[in-house]
Amino acid sequence: RRRQELVTVIKRKTRCPRASGLESLLPLVSSVEETPEPIPTTIKGTIPAWINGSFLRNGPGKFEFGDDRYNHWFDGMALMHRFHICQGSVTYCSRFLRSDSYVNNSEKNRIMISEFGTSAMPDPCKNFLERFLSRFQLPKATDNANVNFVKYKGDYYVSTETNYMRRVDPQSLETKEKVDWSQYIAINSATAHPHYDHEGASYNMGSSYGRSGYFYNIIRVPPPTTATEDSADLTGAEVICSIPAAQSRKPSYFHSFVMSENYIVFVEQPIKLDLLRFMLYKIQGKPFQKIMTWEPRCDVIFHLVDKHTGQESEVKYRAAPMFTLHQINAFEDNGFLVMDMCCGDDGEIIGDFTLENLRRESVQEMDEFYNSLCRNLPRRYVLPLNVDEQTPLDQNLVTLSYCKATVYVTLLQQVYVTHEELHGDELLQYGGLEFPQINYNKHNGKPYRYFYACGFGHVFADSLLKMDVRTKELKVWRYPGLYPSEPVFVASPKAAEEDDGVVLSVIITPRKEKSTFLLVLDAKTFTELGRAEVPVNIPCGTHGVFNEMG
């Protein structure tokens, strides 16, 4: 089986076309200034008058302090963006998150707090002994929340993957109080990708570790109540399930998780965090990134949990090694849980996004770097929800007519899952895809037909894609030299079909200064309706949301 899996990985890599003549992306990973006061944009085409709200985006925007430079793209200081859309007009503003990291770094004009790929050096103002002893102290977790905008109990926060978030004002982008998850529940970190149910409750996953081992925890935050004061409120947050790591000294890294109407699935994948290296690397001054290892000899394990009771299934569903950062959707159908996600076969890719790599100016060097990267592709996995001692062995359990994924119970009583490729060959010419989005409000956790994503014909996204999961047909928006952000779907007020609405994306370019624009596509036809041009530079970002106004 392992030999067949290796052959499949090699074939998948060689099927993706190799790039040639890729341009430098240096301007897209360079520091910019904030634009704290809203400025007007120039509208080309038409922005539908029914769009009323703010497109909020997050991502790194400052990569140095004084003579100190960050090493990794993930390290840059959080820069929040707001495109406010009302009655066919658009304004833009941006602010740096006033995190402790940003404030302390700015005051000292040097990097004071370690980030994912950069270790802060001991304070030169301390004496030799103090600097030496500081190597043995646990590193302070960063509150540089540069990954996403998230929502809990009606309030907006910006989040990264530590135990800290920052509450923010979604209108002014003002930084509010720092929130520590560990003051509410016993976790040491949480993802920046919560899910929301139709009652308004939020779900997330966080990790915890101690003498009893390392655990992956499913978190539930209750729906909002009538606010009595303007302050952060995570009261009522609870851990509904704790899953022990298969290897307590080498737990899995995770960026998101799967949720359907009644189930949550945690994907324990072969990207491992080597905790024994953690303290050693701290002493040596090496960053957190260095403790991550890709161990493809380990299977993927899908942990199935009842969302309502918190009860974990005794069945452990296994699959060939892969890694996943972002889920597309999941739904239940006739005794099966169908899970769609973006997957890759080489987990080393996370550490590859150093600023040195991203800022390569030689065409040959950029081609070599891009061609060395794993291409992420959409896959469908299916879990049978009723596996017991009477389940037949070595017989495909998947009976859904539209699914080619398989599930077998082996002679060793292991449940082994094989995925279906959720795409046709056409996708390969766009370099695979990532940053998937759906019509979340109507179809999250339910059967769906369409998702939207970024195509990766370059190191950063260079196309927007609409995928029909029934037919595996693509619609594409792509123009040379233009690099789109994660697409966000906004439903029209009188939507009758799943794709009645628009797709929003921020388009940046390395070819011309201050040539950013907000793109508005008709979600059904995937053709341009209009754009809002804004004379600012915006670096390549991470995630965003649409904050609908009344």
Side-chain angles (χ1 to χ4, degrees):
R1 176 170 63 85
R2 288 291 185 194
R3 186 178 301 163
Q4 290 176 334
E5 290 163 2
L6 180 60
V7 170
T8 300
V9 169
I10 294 172
K11 284 183 177 179
R12 188 175 298 116
K13 279 196 170 186
T14 55
R15 284 170 61 203
C16 293
R18 293 177 64 82
S20 178
L22 295 179
E23 65 185 331
S24 172
L25 301 179
L26 174 61
L28 307 187
V29 283
S30 298
S31 298
V32 299
E33 299 296 324
E34 64 182 3
T35 308
E37 297 301 322
I39 60 174
T41 64
T42 301
I43 305 298
K44 300 288 181 65
T46 302
I47 308 296
W50 57 262
I51 305 176
N52 185 20
S54 296
F55 186 29
L56 304 173
R57 293 271 307 153
N58 199 353
K62 184 175 176 60
F63 300 96
E64 64 281 313
F65 287 92
D67 294 330
D68 289 359
R69 301 288 187 267
Y70 286 117
N71 298 322
H72 200 282
W73 180 50
F74 296 170
D75 299 341
M77 294 291 99
L79 180 61
M80 303 174 289
H81 311 267
R82 178 184 184 235
F83 288 87
H84 182 59
I85 311 169
C86 183
Q87 296 296 312
S89 65
V90 181
T91 60
Y92 168 81
C93 65
S94 65
R95 285 180 184 265
F96 281 107
L97 179 71
R98 264 54 179 186
S99 60
D100 289 350
S101 296
Y102 179 88
V103 172
N104 290 340
N105 293 344
S106 298
E107 289 176 350
K108 300 291 186 179
N109 199 31
R110 61 185 295 268
I111 295 173
M112 298 292 296
I113 296 177
S114 297
E115 301 291 341
F116 173 77
T118 307
S119 290
M121 292 297 100
D123 190 340
C125 295
K126 293 181 178 179
N127 63 41
F128 172 79
L129 180 60
E130 289 173 326
R131 292 199 302 271
F132 175 76
L133 292 176
S134 70
R135 295 286 195 184
F136 297 89
Q137 297 171 354
L138 282 174
K140 182 180 180 182
T142 181
D143 64 338
N144 176 35
N146 64 2
V147 178
N148 205 358
F149 280 86
V150 298
K151 205 170 185 180
Y152 294 105
K153 302 181 79 170
D155 284 333
Y156 273 102
Y157 299 79
V158 285
S159 179
T160 180
E161 295 186 330
T162 68
N163 56 307
Y164 294 122
M165 299 187 296
R166 279 282 186 167
R167 194 166 71 99
V168 294
D169 185 325
Q171 308 303 318
S172 67
L173 301 182
E174 176 191 357
T175 302
K176 296 194 173 184
E177 65 265 47
K178 181 178 177 178
V179 178
D180 183 351
W181 273 108
S182 66
Q183 298 301 306
Y184 295 90
I185 49 179
I187 62 169
N188 303 105
S189 65
T191 83
H193 288 287
H195 275 295
Y196 311 99
D197 68 16
H198 297 290
E199 285 73 47
S202 306
Y203 293 81
N204 204 345
M205 289 209 61
S207 60
S208 61
Y209 49 89
R211 292 181 178 178
S212 55
Y214 195 104
F215 294 88
Y216 314 111
N217 303 290
I218 299 174
I219 306 159
R220 181 183 184 273
V221 180
T225 56
T226 303
T228 56
E229 57 185 50
D230 182 24
S231 62
D233 178 20
L234 294 182
T235 55
E238 59 179 335
V239 172
I240 63 173
C241 181
S242 291
I243 302 167
Q247 298 174 278
S248 61
R249 292 184 179 180
K250 277 192 174 182
S252 290
Y253 168 77
F254 57 97
H255 186 73
S256 62
F257 62 100
V258 178
M259 190 174 90
S260 67
E261 284 196 278
N262 297 296
Y263 295 94
I264 287 174
V265 177
F266 171 65
V267 184
E268 193 169 15
Q269 58 188 355
I271 300 179
K272 300 292 185 178
L273 306 177
D274 191 330
L275 300 185
L276 291 180
R277 289 186 187 177
F278 183 63
M279 286 307 297
L280 174 62
Y281 281 6
K282 166 60 180 171
I283 296 170
Q284 295 175 342
K286 294 182 180 180
F288 181 83
Q289 167 201 347
K290 297 294 185 180
I291 75 166
M292 300 178 75
T293 61
W294 170 240
E295 302 193 4
R297 286 182 288 183
C298 297
D299 279 344
V300 168
I301 304 175
F302 296 111
H303 297 269
L304 178 70
V305 177
D306 187 303
K307 190 175 78 172
H308 308 292
T309 66
Q311 184 68 39
E312 182 186 1
S313 170
E314 294 182 1
V315 178
K316 297 295 182 289
Y317 304 86
R318 293 181 175 271
M322 60 83 175
F323 80 94
T324 180
L325 296 177
H326 300 114
Q327 319 305 313
I328 302 171
N329 199 12
F331 58 91
E332 299 149 41
D333 186 3
N334 199 30
F336 295 92
L337 177 61
V338 180
M339 308 183 300
D340 299 340
M341 59 189 76
C342 296
C343 302
D345 294 310
D346 184 357
E348 301 281 1
I349 191 172
I350 294 176
D352 290 336
F353 274 64
T354 64
L355 290 172
E356 180 183 8
N357 282 333
L358 298 177
R359 289 172 172 170
R360 295 184 182 198
E361 296 191 69
S362 160
V363 171
Q364 180 181 351
E365 288 183 350
M366 183 58 80
D367 289 349
E368 290 175 354
F369 174 52
Y370 173 77
N371 290 326
S372 72
L373 297 174
C374 167
R375 316 295 174 85
N376 286 10
L377 297 167
R379 295 177 183 172
R380 171 165 286 177
Y381 293 88
V382 178
L383 305 185
L385 298 173
N386 302 301
V387 177
D388 56 28
E389 295 177 353
Q390 305 305 314
T391 301
L393 302 180
D394 292 323
Q395 174 182 318
N396 182 17
L397 304 181
V398 179
T399 56
L400 299 175
S401 60
Y402 56 86
C403 284
K404 295 180 182 178
T406 63
V407 179
Y408 290 89
V409 179
T410 70
L411 292 173
L412 299 176
Q413 294 297 312
Q414 291 184 334
V415 181
Y416 199 80
V417 181
T418 303
H419 67 269
E420 171 188 353
E421 299 285 3
L422 201 61
H423 64 89
D425 287 343
E426 181 186 7
L427 176 60
L428 301 178
Q429 67 179 290
Y430 298 105
L433 60 79
E434 255 294 349
F435 296 117
Q437 290 282 325
I438 62 170
N439 182 342
Y440 192 93
N441 290 340
K442 294 294 184 182
H443 289 272
N444 180 52
K446 298 178 180 180
Y448 75 114
R449 182 166 182 175
Y450 305 107
F451 73 88
Y452 312 90
C454 288
F456 279 80
H458 203 316
V459 175
F460 285 134
D462 68 343
S463 64
L464 292 169
L465 308 174
K466 177 185 180 181
M467 175 71 79
D468 184 329
V469 298
R470 293 184 191 172
T471 66
K472 300 181 182 178
E473 293 177 339
L474 280 178
K475 285 185 169 63
V476 182
W477 184 94
R478 187 185 199 184
Y479 291 92
L482 299 182
Y483 296 84
S485 72
E486 169 189 63
V488 171
F489 175 84
V490 182
S492 61
K494 298 180 180 179
E497 296 183 311
E498 180 182 339
D499 57 352
D500 284 342
V502 298
V503 168
L504 305 178
S505 178
V506 177
I507 312 299
I508 57 180
T509 178
R511 298 185 179 184
K512 187 178 179 182
E513 279 278 301
K514 299 183 177 180
S515 298
T516 299
F517 62 91
L518 172 66
L519 175 68
V520 182
L521 297 178
D522 182 310
K524 188 175 290 292
T525 64
F526 225 54
T527 55
E528 181 174 341
L529 296 173
R531 60 179 66 181
E533 298 175 343
V534 56
V536 298
N537 292 325
I538 295 180
C540 192
T542 46
H543 297 287
V545 298
F546 184 74
N547 179 29
E548 186 174 354
M549 308 295 290

